[in-house]
Amino acid sequence: MAEKSFKYVIVGGGVAGGYAAREFVKQGVKPGELAIISKEAVAPYERPALSKAYLFPEGAARLPGFHVCVGSGGERLLPEWYADKGISLILSTEIVKADLASKILVSAAGESFKYQTLVIATGSTVLKLSDFGVQGADSKNIFYLREIDDADQLVEALKAKKNGKAVVVGGGYIGLELSAVLRLNNIEVNMVYPEPWCMPRLFTEGIAAFYEGYYQNKGVNIIKGTVAAGFDAHPNGEVKAVKLKDGRVLDADIVVVGVGARPLTTLFKGQVEEEKGGIKTDAFFKTSVPDVYAVGDVATFPMKMYNDIRRVEHVDHSRKSAEQAVKAIFASEQGKSIDEYDYLPYFYSRAFNLSWQFYGDNVGETVLFGDADSNSATHKFGTYWIKDGKIVGAFLESGSPEENKAIAKVAKVQPVASSLDQLAQEGIGFASKI
Ligand code: FDA
Ligand code: NAD
């Protein structure tokens, strides 16, 4: 098969791939120079929509409505945009081999793509219960959610199993967002996770207590401290029940599993330096291999603020890292330099009528403030994280745009916290003064 050749290739057409393409155009890429190769059949879109509005029972979001870059208030890049700019958008094409020494990528269909500069934006894939050998985990109607095809399958199942029963396995982002949207679809929900409270990688016990109470009020039955140990299926192969490790058995027409993600670095194993599960980069997302950059979920990069190196699996970083890498590519071609990436972590989620934002680092002592009563109609609360006498992280549920800006500023400025009691009393007022 013929070999195609490009000056720049982005492998992966997800969030980072899309935002990188926009930045290439801003930097003056010429027609014919750039290709994006993606396993998915659609142009880059804002992935967060898949676990939220895409699954609404009414008024659901559909493409082309949420192509990048609408999620950050930018222009919506329709497939025509790529054609207009002379960018080759090569869809439904999985790269199965990468040779970084000879600068060649090979697709599953055997096509070869040569590049001068490569941007790796392959994102993450889901961890599957079948990977852990859970019995019956390949039954029908057990769903994972990463790509639009996964979401479409879930939409079909929701139609087929109207008013049915679901078990949600996992108490992280997917678990919390999917339990909520399944309830909106009038599905009975049991949510199962091993930890003592939900989303332990970010939430304190106090934060989690609010969400657990709120979810229970919305009809989600939460089962903690155990895991799915196996599945029973009907003769047609569809899941019938989830067997928990503690011996309980839960009926299920649909199972949604969110037990974590794994960055897709396999293609590059042994060819590029890795760290903390990702591809190691510098502050410009340059990897250990010349002319190869890695952005988004796959990059392990210097977190300047915390003098540390980390990987981040959230959309804000995927957008910003993509822009930084492309700026760095053009700067290095022009013999110029740009500022190092100086990222303030920003995560958020939305479910039911709830909406939270978090900025900074969740380490040290914590102070819970505000009305965190899940039965209160006027709930609004937050948490500060304090390390070495300074506020290093801030979380806020149901904040106004100004209040969210205020907690972002606190996490960035890291003001001294002289008294934890005073912080608890002042609450969001403290952030608003900074
Ligand atoms: P991303 O996964 O977006 O894209 C990778 C692309 O590469 C995919 O299109 C994939 O098919 C393709 N690819 C992989 N291997 C390939 C190969 N070998 N050949 C060709 N193509 C290949 N974050 C947040 O902050 N707030 C939120 O609300 C949410 N919500 C959310 C919902 C859901 C359902 C998910 C799955 C994730 C989120 N996230 C989130 C996380 C956020 O979406 C995620 O961090 C970014 O999408 C990461 O962007 P990347 O471009 O790195 O990967
Ligand atoms: P996660 O890491 O947030 O949560 C995984 C959860 O799995 C853990 O909290 C734990 O409760 C649970 N778990 C682990 N092993 C289990 C087992 N054997 N049985 C039952 N539960 C088990 O991962 P996720 O929720 O699967 O999300 C996948 C990816 O998508 C992540 O990268 C995440 O950042 C991203 N995402 C982000 C958002 C957001 O930022 N709002 C929303 C959706 C997805």
Side-chain angles (χ1 to χ4, degrees):
M1 232 182 250
E3 182 179 271
K4 290 187 181 149
S5 185
F6 298 93
K7 185 169 183 191
Y8 310 105
V9 168
I10 303 170
V11 59
V15 176
Y19 278 75
R22 182 177 68 165
E23 190 61 35
F24 267 108
V25 168
K26 280 190 189 163
Q27 296 290 329
V29 74
K30 296 191 188 71
E33 286 185 335
L34 173 64
I36 304 179
I37 305 174
S38 185
K39 185 158 69 63
E40 287 186 89
V42 295
Y45 57 87
E46 302 284 2
R47 196 164 305 286
L50 295 184
S51 52
K52 306 176 187 71
Y54 201 83
L55 302 174
F56 284 177
E58 272 158 42
R62 285 292 175 270
L63 289 177
F66 59 100
H67 281 298
V68 298
C69 304
V70 290
S72 56
E75 184 191 354
R76 189 160 52 117
L77 309 184
L78 298 171
E80 302 85 271
W81 178 88
Y82 299 86
D84 278 356
K85 305 294 178 195
I87 298 171
S88 299
L89 187 58
I90 303 169
L91 300 175
S92 305
T93 301
E94 184 177 10
I95 296 301
V96 294
K97 194 169 163 242
D99 183 339
L100 299 184
S102 49
K103 298 190 157 188
I104 290 179
L105 306 173
V106 182
S107 74
E111 256 187 304
S112 295
F113 302 94
K114 199 151 175 44
Y115 61 82
Q116 291 174 36
T117 298
L118 177 67
V119 179
I120 301 173
T122 42
S124 302
T125 189
V126 294
L127 295 177
K128 293 201 164 179
L129 293 177
S130 48
D131 298 341
F132 313 127
V134 175
Q135 169 262 325
D138 52 358
S139 305
K140 287 183 199 149
N141 291 338
I142 300 182
F143 298 100
Y144 297 84
L145 183 58
R146 184 76 210 177
E147 299 192 341
I148 201 154
D149 287 353
D150 305 323
D152 285 337
Q153 286 177 26
L154 187 52
V155 167
E156 284 310 307
L158 288 173
K159 280 188 204 149
K161 304 289 176 190
K162 270 203 179 335
N163 309 325
K165 292 181 178 172
V167 173
V168 173
V169 180
Y173 285 95
I174 292 285
L176 284 166
E177 293 183 7
L178 267 291
S179 294
V181 88
L182 288 170
R183 283 302 297 139
L184 297 181
N185 280 278
N186 205 31
I187 300 282
E188 240 182 84
V189 179
N190 277 299
M191 188 180 176
V192 182
Y193 48 87
E195 296 95 344
W197 65 80
C198 62
M199 192 94 93
R201 76 177 164 132
L202 177 64
F203 290 179
T204 62
E205 189 173 2
I207 295 176
F210 170 82
Y211 292 100
E212 290 174 1
Y214 192 97
Y215 272 54
Q216 270 153 353
N217 289 343
K218 291 281 185 189
V220 176
N221 182 40
I222 296 178
I223 301 170
K224 306 183 199 183
T226 189
V227 295
F231 298 91
D232 285 335
H234 293 287
N236 67 0
E238 290 186 354
V239 70
K240 183 174 168 223
V242 183
K243 294 183 280 188
L244 303 184
K245 201 175 174 190
D246 68 7
R248 276 183 274 186
V249 177
L250 306 169
D251 290 344
D253 304 305
I254 292 176
V255 174
V256 177
V257 184
V259 295
R262 174 175 65 79
L264 276 170
T265 59
T266 339
L267 278 175
F268 313 99
K269 278 260 175 284
Q271 303 184 62
V272 65
E273 244 180 80
E274 290 190 49
E275 189 126 10
K276 294 190 172 169
I279 298 175
K280 192 177 174 193
T281 76
D282 65 9
F284 309 98
F285 296 98
K286 214 169 182 331
T287 70
S288 60
V289 176
D291 306 322
V292 178
Y293 293 73
V295 295
D297 279 13
V298 292
T300 302
F301 63 96
M303 187 78 88
K304 198 175 174 184
M305 278 188 76
Y306 308 125
N307 194 23
D308 192 4
I309 64 163
R310 294 190 192 174
R311 215 165 52 70
V312 171
E313 293 177 357
H314 292 278
V315 74
D316 178 60
H317 160 73
S318 68
R319 295 168 179 152
K320 289 179 175 155
S321 59
E323 289 167 357
Q324 171 77 350
V326 177
K327 282 182 186 142
I329 290 169
F330 279 79
S332 87
E333 285 176 2
Q334 293 157 6
K336 292 184 192 156
S337 63
I338 61 166
D339 288 341
E340 290 181 338
Y341 193 61
D342 187 6
Y343 186 62
L344 173 70
Y346 163 46
F347 315 148
Y348 71 89
S349 181
R350 287 191 298 271
F352 294 120
N353 286 325
L354 303 172
S355 170
W356 60 256
Q357 300 201 357
F358 167 81
Y359 294 87
D361 211 8
N362 58 321
V363 292
E365 288 180 277
T366 57
V367 165
L368 182 70
F369 61 82
D371 175 3
D373 178 353
S374 50
N375 296 311
S376 156
T378 54
H379 61 255
K380 179 189 242 176
F381 71 97
T383 289
Y384 294 118
W385 278 260
I386 300 105
K387 192 181 164 212
D388 301 332
K390 289 178 182 169
I391 302 184
V392 293
F395 175 98
L396 188 61
E397 166 59 48
S398 301
S400 66
E402 294 72 34
E403 289 165 338
N404 287 329
K405 264 191 210 143
I407 62 160
K409 193 167 176 201
V410 162
K412 183 78 189 163
V413 173
Q414 300 189 342
V416 169
S418 38
S419 148
L420 300 192
D421 286 345
Q422 195 190 333
L423 259 188
Q425 261 168 28
E426 284 190 37
I428 187 62
F430 179 88
S432 302
K433 283 189 315 205
I434 301 296

